[in-house]
Amino acid sequence: MKKTTLILTVICLIIIGCENQEDSYADRESELLSLLDDDDALGLEGLDDGDAVDDEYTADSLESAGKINLGKVMEVFHPDSGYIFKFGRKINSKTKTITYTHGDDFSIADITWTVSGDFICSAIDTATADTNKTEKPFTSEFHRMVRFVEGNVSDWRGRRWRVDAFTMGTGSTDDVVAITKLEYFTMNSENTWEPGFVITSDEAETRWIQRDSIPTFYKGDSVKIEVSVTNNSDPVFDYKSGEGVVMHYGRHRYYKARRKMHDDGIGPDAGENDNTFTKIWRIHGPGYYVFQPRPYRVFRAFFDVMDFGTLFDTEEDVHTAFWGLPYKVIRE
């Protein structure tokens, strides 16, 4: 009987130990989830356009809250002389799946978002003003890993963990188009473009980007951005290089802008239709609190490539890929 009792006691202790460990991880994961939800650098807000809108638009000044201007015309696609195209991604649902890996003093969250919605395109006849609106359903996945480490002290909420680093956020609807490289250039003292942040597709899902070392700019800076893409369909719609790239930046649909990137070989773009798209980006301010200016703020940028079949062919499926990278803006 003693032997049996001893064995049962040991088994009970093992079970209790496992339960305590699981409870400990459950508490940790609850804290990590709150960190993910609170961090301005993470998430998908800002990718959604809400409807078909002009190729370039500003939903807010990014400096002051209040007015929403979704109809500001700056430049639009013209595949021929008879139509103007407006387009946008409307996100209807997002589902987040997280798998954790825990160590004694670190945790890694492997995060996959499943995003469903409609790609909306309006073709406007410039002669008659007739509009043909098409809504194409899509589902895409967006992936990122986030690493957490223990802080020396708890924050004001009593949390002892903090976000240490994360990988580039990468997403797509399929494998037709893909981003292969993203590079930022800043102006040096000799007024020439100097390479800065650069990442390729080979390292996009494995390279850790330190949370405290995300790309940081001052209000009014000029930044040149290059995005290189591939099209495995060669291409679906034979117009120019076969793809278009836009840059979304801001915080959410009502506080963002979308800008077209260029592959026309003009100005800063080195080669026409070479699948490297370029944009000179003048950095906006960090925005204001209600009562006082804020010295800095973290925003999200998304680089979004679509096959022109997605835009111009009403029968074609949605072919898109996008990368997400947060950045910080300092007032002065």
Side-chain angles (χ1 to χ4, degrees):
M1 285 295 279
K2 287 184 177 179
K3 184 175 182 181
T4 303
T5 303
L6 178 62
I7 292 174
L8 290 175
T9 302
V10 172
I11 291 173
C12 289
L13 288 173
I14 292 173
I15 292 173
I16 292 171
C18 292
E19 288 178 348
N20 288 339
Q21 187 178 46
E22 289 174 0
D23 289 343
S24 175
Y25 285 154
D27 291 342
R28 184 193 296 192
E29 289 174 9
S30 176
E31 185 174 313
L32 301 184
L33 183 59
S34 69
L35 286 169
L36 290 173
D37 291 341
D38 291 347
D39 198 321
D40 290 335
L42 308 173
L44 285 172
E45 289 74 16
L47 182 63
D48 186 15
D49 299 304
D51 204 337
V53 290
D54 295 300
D55 183 33
E56 295 196 335
Y57 74 88
T58 301
D60 202 293
S61 67
L62 295 181
E63 278 292 324
S64 60
K67 63 181 181 178
I68 299 172
N69 178 14
L70 291 177
K72 182 178 179 181
V73 178
M74 297 187 69
E75 186 176 0
V76 293
F77 285 118
H78 289 78
D80 56 47
S81 59
Y83 292 91
I84 293 174
F85 286 80
K86 297 184 178 184
F87 64 93
R89 179 190 284 103
K90 181 181 179 181
I91 295 176
N92 298 325
S93 67
K94 297 182 293 183
T95 303
K96 180 167 59 177
T97 303
I98 306 176
T99 301
Y100 289 102
T101 301
H102 298 298
D104 291 340
D105 56 358
F106 75 93
S107 289
I108 294 175
D110 193 310
I111 307 168
T112 299
W113 289 89
T114 300
V115 181
S116 297
D118 295 296
F119 185 89
I120 304 171
C121 178
S122 294
I124 304 169
D125 190 320
T126 56
T128 65
D130 291 337
T131 299
N132 182 6
K133 189 173 184 178
T134 303
E135 296 187 15
K136 301 179 180 181
F138 72 87
T139 298
S140 59
E141 288 194 346
F142 181 80
H143 178 255
R144 164 175 277 147
M145 292 192 296
V146 180
R147 186 174 66 206
F148 307 86
V149 297
E150 284 189 286
N152 294 328
V153 295
S154 299
D155 68 6
W156 65 275
R157 296 186 180 182
R159 299 178 300 196
R160 62 190 181 92
W161 295 86
R162 63 180 177 84
V163 175
D164 173 57
F166 43 75
T167 61
M168 174 74 72
T170 60
S172 65
T173 54
D174 52 32
D175 60 356
V176 172
V177 292
I179 298 175
T180 60
K181 185 180 180 181
L182 167 65
E183 187 164 9
Y184 285 2
F185 299 81
T186 55
M187 192 73 72
N188 60 25
S189 59
E190 299 177 354
N191 291 325
T192 58
W193 293 113
E194 187 174 86
F197 179 88
V198 58
I199 192 167
T200 65
S201 55
D202 292 337
E203 55 187 356
E205 296 205 7
T206 58
R207 173 179 158 188
W208 292 108
I209 301 169
Q210 293 295 317
R211 175 62 177 79
D212 295 336
S213 300
I214 59 176
T216 299
F217 311 108
Y218 287 89
K219 175 186 175 181
D221 282 353
S222 291
V223 178
K224 184 172 78 166
I225 304 173
E226 291 186 355
V227 174
S228 299
V229 305
T230 59
N231 191 325
N232 295 325
S233 64
D234 196 31
V236 170
F237 192 93
D238 190 12
Y239 175 66
K240 295 187 176 180
S241 63
E243 316 84 24
V245 177
V246 293
M247 174 187 179
H248 309 253
Y249 60 90
R251 295 176 64 84
H252 49 71
R253 179 159 63 94
Y254 301 108
Y255 198 77
K256 66 168 284 188
R258 188 178 76 187
R259 296 288 180 261
K260 179 182 178 182
M261 301 190 70
H262 299 274
D263 189 18
D264 51 14
I266 299 173
D269 186 65
E272 182 179 5
N273 297 336
D274 62 356
N275 290 330
T276 295
F277 291 76
T278 307
K279 175 67 183 175
I280 303 297
W281 179 29
R282 185 170 176 81
I283 303 300
H284 56 83
Y288 284 87
Y289 277 132
V290 175
F291 300 108
Q292 63 180 356
R294 190 172 189 172
Y296 71 89
R297 183 177 283 177
V298 173
F299 297 86
R300 290 173 292 272
F302 295 96
F303 301 92
D304 188 9
V305 54
M306 73 191 77
D307 191 285
F308 277 148
T310 300
L311 183 61
F312 298 141
D313 187 345
T314 59
E315 300 299 319
E316 187 59 51
D317 292 335
V318 176
H319 307 298
T320 63
F322 52 95
W323 283 8
L325 179 66
Y327 62 97
K328 181 190 292 186
V329 176
I330 301 173
R331 182 165 301 282
E332 292 181 273

